[in-house]
Amino acid sequence: MDIYRICVLFSSLSFFFYSYYYFISPRMKKELDRMGVSHLGLFITTSQFLGACGLLIGLEYNLILILASLGLATLMFCGFLVRMKSKDGLWLSLPALFYLILNTYIFIKALFIWFQFGVEHLLKAKTQRQTDTQTDKQTDNQTNKQTHTQTDTQ
């Protein structure tokens, strides 16, 4: 297993944990209340859960991985800004910054994979079209030769 997949799994499991932790711990709700975003608690938790699901599904479907990692990176960027605005300092803001960097890495890597696959797919399709065109020309030439041969014999 490569480092990229480990990062995806780690981020996904972390966000599953954070979304679960919101419902079982009053501490998380108090933190959101202290920062003035308690009204966004359910939205944040749902976004984390859906992002975690998207990361796992994205291991099979790259476009979903791109969207999920971008969404989680954006969520963590906002979380980092809220922490800075609350004057929490860098130490308390490190988890948001860490997950921002982690999901940005996943997003960029997934984009490269998507573009690489897209370019390879386009090149393969172009090669296939050229092969099909050559095959069609050969078939046409053979058909024309048969037609001329039949016409000559008559």
Side-chain angles (χ1 to χ4, degrees):
M1 184 176 300
D2 60 357
I3 190 77
Y4 171 66
R5 288 186 183 274
I6 292 169
C7 288
V8 171
L9 292 173
F10 179 78
S11 183
S12 179
L13 293 174
S14 297
F15 281 106
F16 277 130
F17 173 76
Y18 282 127
S19 58
Y20 173 72
Y21 188 64
Y22 174 80
F23 292 107
I24 64 168
S25 171
R27 181 175 174 257
M28 192 110 159
K29 292 175 185 160
K30 287 179 187 174
E31 274 292 296
L32 293 175
D33 191 37
R34 182 184 66 79
M35 291 184 281
V37 291
S38 60
H39 61 285
L40 296 174
L42 191 57
F43 172 76
I44 293 168
T45 303
T46 304
S47 298
Q48 289 176 339
F49 181 79
L50 291 174
C53 290
L55 290 178
L56 289 180
I57 294 168
L59 287 171
E60 190 64 32
Y61 302 100
N62 196 49
L63 183 58
I64 294 173
L65 183 61
I66 291 169
L67 297 173
S69 59
L70 177 62
L72 288 171
T74 303
L75 189 66
M76 291 298 98
F77 178 71
C78 293
F80 182 73
L81 291 179
V82 168
R83 287 275 187 189
M84 290 286 110
K85 184 180 175 195
S86 299
K87 309 243 188 281
D88 282 350
L90 187 59
W91 184 252
L92 290 175
S93 304
L94 274 179
L97 184 61
F98 170 75
Y99 284 103
L100 167 61
I101 293 168
L102 180 64
N103 283 286
T104 300
Y105 163 74
I106 294 168
F107 171 71
I108 291 169
K109 179 81 171 169
L111 268 181
F112 278 122
I113 291 169
W114 190 62
F115 282 125
Q116 181 182 14
F117 174 75
V119 169
E120 287 175 1
H121 182 70
L122 289 173
L123 290 175
K124 188 176 180 181
K126 182 179 178 182
T127 304
Q128 184 63 42
R129 281 194 306 271
Q130 288 173 344
T131 304
D132 290 347
T133 303
Q134 290 173 352
T135 304
D136 289 345
K137 286 180 181 177
Q138 289 173 352
T139 304
D140 288 345
N141 287 340
Q142 289 175 352
T143 304
N144 288 340
K145 284 180 183 179
Q146 289 174 353
T147 305
H148 290 301
T149 304
Q150 290 174 355
T151 307
D152 290 342
T153 57
Q154 292 175 357

